[in-house]
Amino acid sequence: MLRNLIILPEAEQDVAEGYVWHEAQELGLGEEFLHCVDACIQFIRRNPQMYRLVHESYRRAVVRRFPYVIFYEYLENTIIIYSVFHCSQDPQKLRSRLP
């Protein structure tokens, strides 16, 4: 069963910046990045409780092949994606995004 999905604008910006950066490194790599992020999000939609809680009600899913994690919340049949976070970033940046 697919759940309702809300991707916050900040998370969309994370994906756009990741795409631009990877595409600048190698033609087509940005597309592969988008594909892997989308596959991870679709897995989350099908199995939102698969990933463990990492902080309060927030969960973290690892994006295959790229050093990114998706932070989300699953509340009453709705998934809210807060961040598509590059693992080398300062964790304080992430904390400021989670309500």
Side-chain angles (χ1 to χ4, degrees):
M1 175 173 139
L2 293 180
R3 277 65 177 187
N4 296 324
L5 178 67
I6 299 169
I7 302 175
L8 296 183
E10 296 87 351
E12 290 180 356
Q13 183 65 32
D14 293 340
V15 173
E17 289 172 4
Y19 170 81
V20 169
W21 190 87
H22 286 91
E23 198 64 23
Q25 302 309 303
E26 180 181 331
L27 191 61
L29 190 58
E31 291 295 325
E32 179 65 21
F33 170 74
L34 292 179
H35 174 74
C36 290
V37 168
D38 183 58
C40 188
I41 290 171
Q42 294 311 314
F43 187 81
I44 291 168
R45 285 186 82 185
R46 288 189 305 275
N47 306 289
Q49 295 176 316
M50 176 74 167
Y51 297 100
R52 67 182 183 90
L53 295 170
V54 292
H55 178 68
E56 296 176 5
S57 61
Y58 304 104
R59 298 175 186 270
R60 177 184 65 205
V62 178
V63 176
R64 181 182 62 84
R65 191 171 174 235
F66 293 90
Y68 284 80
V69 291
I70 297 174
F71 283 90
Y72 70 97
E73 211 172 14
Y74 177 53
L75 305 168
E76 297 188 25
N77 215 28
T78 299
I79 298 163
I80 304 169
I81 296 180
Y82 292 96
S83 179
V84 179
F85 192 74
H86 191 284
C87 294
S88 71
Q89 293 178 333
D90 182 0
Q92 292 294 8
K93 179 181 176 184
L94 174 64
R95 287 188 189 109
S96 69
R97 292 235 202 126
L98 302 178

